[in-house]
Amino acid sequence: SSLDIRDTVKYKEVMKQYGLGPNGGIVTSLNLFATRFDQVMKFIEKRQNASKYVIIDTPGQIEVFTWSASGTIITEALASSFPSVVVYVMDTSRSTNPVTFMSNMLYACSILYKTKLPFIVVMNKTDIIDHSFAVEWMQDFETFQDALNQETSYVSNLTRSMSLVLDEFYSSLKVVGVSAVLGTGLDDFFVQLSKAVDEYEREYRPEYERLRKTLEEAQNKQKKEQLEHLWKDMGSVCVQGNTLTGSDDASAMGPSELILTRGTLDDEEERESDTDDIDHEVTEESHEEPAFRNFMQETRMKYQRRSNLNE
């Protein structure tokens, strides 16, 4: 089974409707698609027992997916529910130039640190040129410097400096050479993929669970603060001592308790209450708030009168 974003969002229609260029049209289309990504998640959940892998092909432009809001939403939605691995596919035949190779590595590095997920670099088109030269550049700094010495452009100086920065990035990077045409290297790829899934379960899932727990605690704290503010705005309603006839535990009743006991008052008290005139069918917030305030005020006055009579 497969899903195609083009079946959901018409790219050219988005460009016409919003007056956008190619990249703007792609970003907007992805944003529109992200609003329905919950349907994709449900589709994956239904198919997870029948399918071992789910492949999601994302746009290659860095500004379209990696650094866009919709790209982050999609990535985090997947990573919070399923073992997720980022696979960066590069064209080996077009990376024989050390400057171009460094551009690819910087791109890969930015994706790794943005997604914070297990990462595999797949060097495709090994049927045209073997990827061993790129692996050697990553493992041997001097070899890469020798290749850079043949470059005379000003960019080579920047590339030379950046190669020092990426040494740590290379040390833990999973690299596989494959040929999509011949199918070579796919066995090695699935081995690395299994290791990446283990890495996700060992390191990334606990972190996502920690972040989720932190978010839930923050939300609960916010709800608690809002409830406290509500109580302060409403004011405290307290009944002093055992002033109610036949009631021994009504010495401290707050607003919520009074709301719950509204239906238990005797018939005479209910008939005397002006709150019976409230139109409970009105749902506008501007009408509900005064009605609730009147109810609380009337109830407070009622208990105060009873308390004075008993004294």
Side-chain angles (χ1 to χ4, degrees):
S1 300
S2 63
L3 295 175
D4 194 330
I5 186 176
R6 293 172 294 185
D7 296 334
T8 306
V9 183
K10 302 300 181 183
Y11 164 69
K12 293 185 178 180
E13 291 298 324
V14 171
M15 289 179 60
K16 291 179 181 178
Q17 183 174 350
Y18 295 98
L20 301 172
N23 276 6
I26 294 175
V27 172
T28 305
S29 298
L30 191 61
N31 289 341
L32 294 172
F33 184 74
T35 63
R36 300 185 178 182
F37 199 71
D38 60 311
Q39 299 178 22
V40 178
M41 295 292 292
K42 293 178 182 177
F43 178 81
I44 296 175
E45 289 174 358
K46 291 179 180 179
R47 299 284 301 177
Q48 63 181 346
N49 294 328
S51 303
K52 188 175 182 179
Y53 301 104
V54 176
I55 301 174
I56 299 179
D57 186 13
T58 64
Q61 297 94 323
I62 191 170
E63 72 278 7
V64 172
F65 188 83
T66 306
W67 292 99
S68 69
S70 54
T72 302
I73 292 172
I74 292 173
T75 302
E76 291 183 352
L78 291 168
S80 63
S81 303
F82 309 102
S84 302
V85 178
V86 178
V87 179
Y88 177 71
V89 182
M90 59 178 284
D91 189 338
T92 309
S93 62
R94 295 183 179 273
S95 301
T96 55
N97 182 290
V99 176
T100 306
F101 172 80
M102 180 56 61
S103 298
N104 264 304
M105 291 298 101
L106 288 174
Y107 191 2
C109 183
S110 68
I111 296 173
L112 170 64
Y113 287 107
K114 181 64 170 64
T115 59
K116 298 181 177 66
L117 288 170
F119 196 83
I120 302 175
V121 173
V122 174
M123 297 184 177
N124 193 22
K125 299 185 180 180
T126 55
D127 54 297
I128 299 177
I129 182 171
D130 191 76
H131 70 293
S132 57
F133 74 93
V135 175
E136 186 177 7
W137 283 353
M138 296 168 65
Q139 295 176 349
D140 191 339
F141 176 77
E142 296 299 331
T143 303
F144 185 70
Q145 295 303 309
D146 292 340
L148 272 177
N149 290 334
Q150 301 176 11
E151 296 291 327
T152 57
S153 62
Y154 72 93
V155 182
S156 62
N157 294 326
L158 176 62
T159 304
R160 187 174 288 105
S161 300
M162 294 303 300
S163 62
L164 288 170
V165 177
L166 293 181
D167 268 349
E168 183 178 355
F169 171 67
Y170 292 150
S171 62
S172 58
L173 191 64
K174 299 178 179 64
V175 181
V176 181
V178 302
S179 170
V181 175
L182 302 178
T184 56
L186 290 180
D187 291 339
D188 292 337
F189 169 72
F190 283 110
V191 170
Q192 294 296 333
L193 185 61
S194 297
K195 292 180 179 179
V197 171
D198 293 338
E199 182 182 351
Y200 172 89
E201 297 290 355
R202 184 177 64 255
E203 300 179 11
Y204 290 85
R205 185 181 289 277
E207 179 65 14
Y208 270 99
E209 293 297 332
R210 185 188 67 80
L211 293 175
R212 180 184 296 177
K213 184 178 179 181
T214 302
L215 179 60
E216 290 178 354
E217 291 175 352
Q219 291 175 342
N220 292 335
K221 182 180 179 181
Q222 184 179 12
K223 291 179 181 178
K224 184 179 179 181
E225 291 175 352
Q226 291 175 347
L227 184 60
E228 291 175 352
H229 291 158
L230 177 63
W231 277 72
K232 289 180 181 179
D233 293 340
M234 292 167 55
S236 60
V237 179
C238 297
V239 180
Q240 301 294 335
N242 298 330
T243 58
L244 295 179
T245 305
S247 177
D248 296 331
D249 56 355
S251 59
M253 298 179 65
S256 60
E257 287 83 352
L258 291 173
I259 295 171
L260 291 175
T261 59
R262 181 185 179 191
T264 63
L265 298 177
D266 55 60
D267 295 339
E268 182 179 355
E269 290 173 346
E270 287 184 359
R271 286 194 296 270
E272 293 175 356
S273 175
D274 293 335
T275 59
D276 291 338
D277 297 330
I278 297 176
D279 183 5
H280 296 288
E281 296 300 321
V282 180
T283 58
E284 290 82 354
E285 184 178 355
S286 60
H287 291 180
E288 286 180 343
E289 185 177 351
F292 182 77
R293 190 182 293 112
N294 290 337
F295 166 69
M296 294 301 303
Q297 185 177 0
E298 187 69 19
T299 305
R300 186 185 294 109
M301 292 176 63
K302 185 188 303 179
Y303 282 106
Q304 286 176 350
R305 287 197 302 267
R306 178 173 292 182
S307 177
N308 292 334
L309 292 173
N310 292 335
E311 289 177 358

